[in-house]
Amino acid sequence: MYRKAVFPGSFDPITLGHYDIIKRGVSLFDEVIVAIGINADKKYMFTLEDRKKFIEDAFADEPKVSVITYEGLTIDLCRKLDAQFILRGLRNPADFEFEKAIAHTNRKLSQIETVFLLTASKTSYISSSIVRDVIRNGGDYTVLVPDSVKIKAHK
């Protein structure tokens, strides 16, 4: 069976934690679709185009990874793409409780399984909101993100 997973998020911006989950997901699935959710009510630091490009550039040499944008429910996107799995990363117990509720809801509404990967200990403290705060305050965010973000954010 061909195993296709959707890794949804806002990726504002992609962090080394996200990068680690995607890289490890590639070893588990035949295809990993990074799906950038569009939420009109959210204020983003980076444009949708920039966020998409950061991820595409970070995985330019990985044919099993593609990047798309979407609106609506993740399970609807999975059905449309024939993806059997939702991939999620967990940093801490609070992430688990939040993600568990979403996974149970998605399972109740569909046959799509959620697969959780624990973030690597070396990246478990990194979140996009922390990266944005470091950038806003002029700190060295480059140790928190893939090279593709470093280049773009310096412009």
Side-chain angles (χ1 to χ4, degrees), residues 78-143:
C78 290
R79 285 185 188 120
K80 180 178 155 191
L81 299 173
D82 271 338
Q84 310 91 333
F85 303 96
I86 296 171
L87 176 62
R88 299 297 294 156
L90 299 174
R91 292 175 304 206
N92 54 48
D95 278 358
F96 174 72
E97 289 301 323
F98 178 74
E99 294 290 346
K100 180 177 76 166
I102 295 170
H104 282 312
T105 303
N106 287 341
R107 186 76 178 101
K108 181 79 173 169
L109 300 175
S110 73
Q111 295 302 304
I112 297 159
E113 293 286 355
T114 300
V115 175
F116 296 113
L117 293 181
L118 297 177
T119 55
S121 58
K122 66 183 178 190
T123 61
S124 64
Y125 66 94
I126 303 171
S127 69
S128 293
S129 57
I130 288 173
V131 172
R132 291 191 305 271
D133 197 44
V134 170
I135 291 170
R136 266 194 293 278
N137 290 288
D140 182 11
Y141 64 92
T142 60
V143 296

Side-chain angles (χ1 to χ4, degrees), residues 9-79:
S10 57
F11 305 102
D12 186 33
I14 183 175
T15 69
L16 289 178
H18 295 130
Y19 184 87
D20 174 62
I21 296 296
I22 297 166
K23 286 295 269 188
R24 289 169 43 216
V26 163
S27 69
L28 299 172
F29 301 103
D30 299 300
E31 183 178 351
V32 175
I33 302 164
V34 181
I36 305 170
I38 301 168
N39 182 343
D41 298 330
K42 219 171 168 188
K43 294 274 188 236
Y44 296 105
M45 176 174 273
F46 296 96
T47 67
L48 184 61
E49 295 76 24
D50 283 344
R51 290 180 280 146
K52 190 170 187 276
K53 185 156 176 41
F54 292 157
I55 302 165
E56 288 170 343
D57 289 353
F59 291 95
D61 295 332
E62 180 48 72
K64 290 170 73 172
V65 174
S66 60
V67 186
I68 63 168
T69 61
Y70 78 105
E71 290 183 82
L73 295 176
T74 303
I75 56 170
D76 290 340
L77 176 68
C78 290
R79 285 185 188 120

